[in-house]
Amino acid sequence: MGTNVSRAVVVAGLVGAGVYAVLSRRRTDPVWLRTNHAGRTVTLYAGPAAVLGAAAGTAAAPGPVRGRAAGVLAVLAAGGCGAYDDLVGTDDPRRGFQAHLGALRGGEVTSGAVKLFGIGAAGGLAGLLIEERAVDGVLTGAVIAGTAHLVNLVDVGPGVAVGSVVLLGAVAGMPGAAAAAVLAPADLGERTMLGDTGAHGLGAALGIALARGGGCLGGSAGRAALAVGLVAAAANGERVSGLARRASGVLRRVAGVAGR
């Protein structure tokens, strides 16, 4: 089991690093460029690299084929919905669930609404495929979608999202955390960013690992507690993002990259 886990970690890291290296060598299309918090131009290439690395690590992890396939589905779907928002919704100033749901009530389907319902549906389906009991499947689906949203909330500055995934992923036994780890230097060095693509893909992978670890907190009760905590974080999104911004500043100072 230990060997299989180690293999999955290596696979996730190699795929993440390899995809990022290939994308970084190509001529950058302006649609894949963004201006970060400091006014620097960075690429969104860390996003696809993180998603494919996390998906590869999930596929190579030990466990039933059905569960691994469901995990890969959730990661790719979350990353795909995030990519849609990155590419289509880049000029949309609306943020948060209420804004997108309000637009939907008015007959407009925003990229944020596509992301919200797409990730929720993919997480729910993956949860039902992973778990044997329907109640656990629903709770696991809520954790997957909620964690995808949480990682996106903290992706407001260099290093915070990837650092959170690496730390929590290590605790939860998430092989795909290696994909975040290999991208951390480029993210913290402000050469690239995860964007919605990478944040949601990594978040979904982390959610799967956390939900599966919920058994140590009491099975369904543990998953329910995780889900409630994630809902609370979503309800206080601005506060969570504010804390993440401050953490990013600390990380950059510690790494010696502030002002570069």
Side-chain angles (χ1 to χ4, degrees):
M1 181 68 76
T3 300
N4 290 337
V5 171
S6 298
R7 181 179 62 192
V9 170
V10 171
V11 167
L14 288 176
V15 171
V19 171
Y20 179 70
V22 170
L23 291 176
S24 296
R25 291 192 186 100
R26 66 190 292 274
R27 180 179 178 181
T28 303
D29 190 305
V31 76
W32 289 97
L33 294 176
R34 291 293 183 276
T35 301
N36 73 356
H37 70 106
R40 297 184 177 90
T41 298
V42 301
T43 74
L44 290 173
Y45 290 154
V51 171
L52 294 177
T58 301
V65 173
R66 175 173 165 170
R68 287 184 284 129
V72 171
L73 165 69
V75 172
L76 293 180
C81 290
Y84 180 78
D85 197 30
D86 275 334
L87 301 179
V88 176
T90 182
D91 296 323
D92 190 344
R94 288 168 293 197
R95 294 291 182 269
F97 292 159
Q98 291 186 349
H100 293 295
L101 291 177
L104 192 61
R105 285 193 295 270
E108 181 186 1
V109 180
T110 65
S111 60
V114 170
K115 183 176 66 175
L116 173 63
F117 289 104
I119 294 175
L125 177 59
L128 292 172
L129 290 173
I130 291 170
E131 307 294 348
E132 294 183 1
R133 298 195 310 157
V135 63
D136 287 331
V138 171
L139 291 172
T140 292
V143 171
I144 293 171
T147 309
H149 180 61
L150 177 63
V151 174
N152 190 51
L153 278 179
V154 301
D155 187 31
V156 291
V160 183
V162 291
S164 299
V165 170
V166 170
L167 291 175
L168 292 174
V171 173
M174 169 192 167
V182 298
L183 294 168
D187 181 77
L188 192 56
E190 300 185 65
R191 298 188 296 277
T192 188
M193 64 169 59
L194 290 175
D196 281 31
T197 307
H200 285 100
L202 286 174
L206 177 60
I208 292 168
L210 289 172
R212 296 300 291 157
C216 67
L217 301 174
S220 297
R223 293 180 182 89
L226 283 170
V228 169
L230 290 166
V231 169
N236 294 276
E238 286 299 324
R239 189 171 300 175
V240 172
S241 294
L243 290 172
R245 287 188 185 92
R246 289 194 286 274
S248 177
V250 173
L251 283 172
R252 284 181 285 123
R253 286 194 293 273
V254 170
V257 300
R260 280 178 52 183

